Amino acid sequence: WEFSCDRNHELLAVVDDVMRQNPALRAPVRNVSASSPVSIDLDFEGQTGRNGRIYALLASMSGTSPGWSLGGDILPLNQDWLTSASMQSANGSLFQQNIGLLDANGDATATLNLAGVAPLPPALVGLRINLAGWVFAAPGALQGEPTNAVDLFIDS
């Protein structure tokens, strides 16, 4: 299939509808300098209808598979030292607003503040930080919906 073959936008409209129904995570910066890392603002778009729900944004350096099984769905992260650090220091100086409530529009913002740990160890050059989020269906429940995964690449 090729986009230009969908002249009536029949398939594209379905794809667009499905993609807009899921929570989304966005990061304007995708490359991080190990020698002078910056703060990265993350936009969490939960969409209308998810307002007031609990969300969690986590980081991993292990990739996206197999993830965690949460109530029949998958949070697309592996647990590693960075995931543990992002949970243990929730809303701390490294990962600000990574756990909270979606606002009236179903949105939230967070910051991964790598500037506070500058410079990054040279051994991290060439690796990636994988970020993903989870919107819980209800307080106290593990069920929910995953966002897309966003990769940040560490270069020199």
Side-chain angles (χ1 to χ4, degrees), residues 1-151:
W1 179 79
E2 213 290 316
F3 172 71
S4 63
C5 295
D6 188 16
R7 289 189 175 93
N8 296 328
H9 303 286
E10 293 171 15
L11 183 56
L12 187 59
V14 172
V15 170
D16 184 60
D17 286 345
V18 169
M19 290 179 72
R20 290 183 187 274
Q21 292 173 8
N22 297 322
L25 182 60
R26 308 215 189 290
V29 173
R30 293 300 178 98
N31 290 321
V32 176
S33 166
S35 59
S36 56
V38 296
S39 267
I40 299 163
D41 292 326
L42 304 167
D43 292 322
F44 191 102
E45 299 168 5
Q47 310 298 332
T48 305
R50 293 184 183 92
N51 55 317
R53 288 194 191 174
I54 299 170
Y55 71 88
L57 301 177
L58 300 174
S60 171
M61 294 193 80
S62 299
T64 60
S65 179
W68 290 341
S69 177
L70 289 179
D73 215 329
I74 300 292
L75 174 60
L77 287 172
N78 284 314
Q79 185 171 6
D80 63 11
W81 65 271
L82 186 55
T83 310
S84 297
S86 61
M87 288 188 302
Q88 291 171 1
S89 61
N91 298 328
S93 59
L94 175 64
F95 212 168
Q96 300 158 11
Q97 295 305 112
N98 67 316
I99 296 175
L101 296 176
L102 296 175
D103 67 15
N105 296 317
D107 299 331
T109 57
T111 303
L112 180 60
N113 185 11
L114 296 173
V117 290
L120 297 175
L124 296 180
V125 172
L127 299 178
R128 67 184 171 140
I129 298 172
N130 183 261
L131 302 163
W134 187 261
V135 178
F136 291 90
L142 291 179
Q143 293 85 359
E145 301 169 272
T147 67
N148 57 301
V150 172
D151 287 330

